[in-house]
Amino acid sequence: MWPGMTRSLSPAEILAPLAGRRVAVAMSGGVDSSVVAALAHEAGCDVVGITLQLYDQGAATAARPGACCAGADIRDARSVAARLGIAHYVIDMESRFNESVIEKFADAYAQGRTPVPCVECNRTVKFTDLLALARELGAEALLTGHYVQRLEGPDGAELHRAADPSKDQSYFLWTTTQAQLDYLRFPLGGLAKAETRALAGRFGLSVAAKPDSQDICFVPGGDYARVVEKVRPELARPGDIVDHHGRVLGQHQGVHRFTVGQRRGLELGGQAEPLYVIGIDAAANRVIAGPRRELAVAAAHLEGLNLLGSTDGVLDVKVRSMAPLASARWHDGQVDFAEPLYGVAPGQAAVAYRGSRLVAGGTIASTVAVSADLAA
């Protein structure tokens, strides 16, 4: 259990106040959202399942187990809804998803950034469009299968990390507003994944053994460069790899193939020490490489801030979804790290926690290097 968290709520405790009321469940066709629908139905809720059709990648997607919101997943969601005897709607959001997520994903790489498309999907398609649809259907709450916790605090609903650190998805939900949080419920936040699968087995759901989603949902086989080039073909052009003095070290085949902190793929032989991507100058079509010490940053400038609590004092901050927490101070659109961090990439999110509670988030716009002679 995280510091500052008194205890986690069970699914029954979360759902009991909604018994006899209409709720909407975002059903992706995976085990997590299917279990949420089953739990809500068992709790006596009037459940409406909603599945969003976000993209169509034909055989490429169907052949990849774990890809969410594709054809096979829609069929699985329908099957679960039929077994539970609940209403189920499939909504075509392909155009909206392409505009709000896929095109912005490609645009970020064109700007030399490393985007987090799941954040943008949650901010727009899921917690804006889907939430509005749930309200139109008369639902008093929207339930999802995210591993994150909504706990009542002295000033209202708070967003907390999941009880299981290995499944926590709070990093991807930092754009959730207070109004959205008041309407959302996350019944699985206090469970481990093994417990969720056991529940799927108890309910007799066909998806009980279905693999978890992997990688980015709309990127077949994890080849994000191919997706970016399909949207922005002009990015597939060679350019220079240089050091921070501008000395040419080698060539690249597109700036979208690189991210700050990356080592593999530079293919620079004959160097005195291993080199990493320390910056991307998209306007000049250049990748900047240097030794690991040149990756060290002291601070990051943020944009698109969302505040869900007080940011006073020392906080724990994540700068990548898999990064460890780092001590930092948050003020005036900037986060100052107590110790230098490495591989902090513009386009990623900086998410701040006080104990288990998520209190703020923002997109990293630029960084402040530890070495004064290096560009951000």
Side-chain angles (χ1 to χ4, degrees):
M1 190 170 295
W2 300 103
M5 181 183 293
T6 55
R7 69 184 185 94
S8 297
L9 298 178
S10 69
E13 290 175 298
I14 294 169
L15 295 169
L18 296 170
R21 302 180 180 183
R22 171 166 288 190
V23 299
V25 178
M27 298 182 68
S28 68
V31 62
D32 298 325
S33 59
S34 296
V35 167
V36 168
L39 287 168
H41 182 258
E42 183 180 63
C45 300
D46 174 15
V47 182
V48 177
I50 306 175
T51 300
L52 302 181
Q53 180 176 330
L54 300 181
Y55 54 88
D56 180 10
Q57 293 175 336
T61 299
R64 183 168 64 92
C68 77
C69 308
D73 300 288
I74 292 173
R75 291 193 294 273
D76 287 340
R78 281 176 173 155
S79 175
V80 169
R83 176 172 178 78
L84 298 174
I86 63 173
H88 179 245
Y89 299 92
V90 178
I91 310 299
D92 184 356
M93 297 289 289
E94 187 172 345
S95 177
R96 169 73 160 148
F97 184 77
N98 182 70
E99 177 185 345
S100 300
V101 180
I102 297 179
E103 289 191 6
K104 287 188 176 181
F105 176 78
D107 287 344
Y109 275 107
Q111 297 163 8
R113 293 186 166 198
T114 305
V116 192
C118 294
V119 169
E120 198 61 28
C121 182
N122 289 326
R123 188 182 71 84
T124 56
V125 177
K126 291 182 179 176
F127 286 178
T128 298
D129 300 334
L130 177 57
L131 192 146
L133 178 59
R135 290 188 185 278
E136 290 176 8
L137 291 172
E140 296 189 34
L142 173 63
L143 282 55
T144 82
H146 288 103
Y147 285 87
V148 67
Q149 300 193 81
R150 175 192 181 277
L151 301 176
E152 289 296 333
D155 298 317
E158 300 175 351
L159 189 61
H160 287 253
R161 302 186 73 185
D164 182 356
S166 69
K167 296 301 296 181
D168 175 56
Q169 294 174 298
S170 60
Y171 178 85
F172 301 104
L173 301 182
W174 67 264
T175 60
T176 305
T177 66
Q178 188 63 56
Q180 291 167 346
L181 188 58
D182 290 341
Y183 188 67
L184 290 162
R185 300 294 186 275
F186 309 104
L188 305 185
L191 303 182
K193 186 57 179 264
E195 294 176 291
T196 301
R197 288 201 181 277
L199 286 169
R202 176 169 74 79
F203 287 121
L205 303 182
S206 59
V207 297
K210 187 173 182 177
D212 289 345
S213 299
Q214 301 293 329
D215 301 319
I216 300 170
C217 68
F218 59 89
V219 182
D223 188 359
Y224 77 89
R226 181 179 178 183
V227 172
V228 172
E229 289 170 9
K230 184 177 180 180
V231 180
R232 299 287 180 264
E234 67 276 10
L235 294 179
R237 60 191 177 100
D240 291 333
I241 301 175
V242 302
D243 64 15
H244 74 269
H245 294 298
R247 181 171 63 94
V248 176
L249 304 175
Q251 296 288 303
H252 66 76
Q253 297 303 312
V255 295
H256 63 293
R257 296 178 175 271
F258 299 89
T259 184
V260 170
Q262 180 176 333
R263 180 179 174 186
R264 297 182 61 182
L266 284 172
E267 299 180 357
L268 299 175
Q271 303 298 319
E273 55 187 318
L275 298 183
Y276 299 78
V277 176
I278 63 171
I280 298 172
D281 184 347
N285 194 32
R286 299 193 308 176
V287 173
I288 306 165
R292 185 175 184 275
R293 61 181 176 275
E294 295 183 359
L295 279 172
V297 301
H301 299 294
L302 309 175
E303 61 187 15
L305 299 179
N306 183 45
L307 301 179
L308 288 172
S310 170
T311 57
D312 293 341
V314 178
L315 301 171
D316 293 321
V317 174
K318 262 183 177 284
V319 294
R320 296 186 309 279
S321 63
M322 301 302 293
L325 294 171
S327 294
R329 289 185 179 274
W330 188 287
H331 61 91
D332 300 327
Q334 178 172 309
V335 56
D336 296 325
F337 306 117
E339 300 289 340
L341 294 190
Y342 297 81
V344 181
Q348 293 282 288
V351 180
Y353 300 86
R354 189 182 308 281
S356 67
R357 184 185 178 188
L358 192 159
V359 295
T363 300
I364 299 170
S366 61
T367 58
V368 179
V370 170
S371 299
D373 62 332
L374 296 179

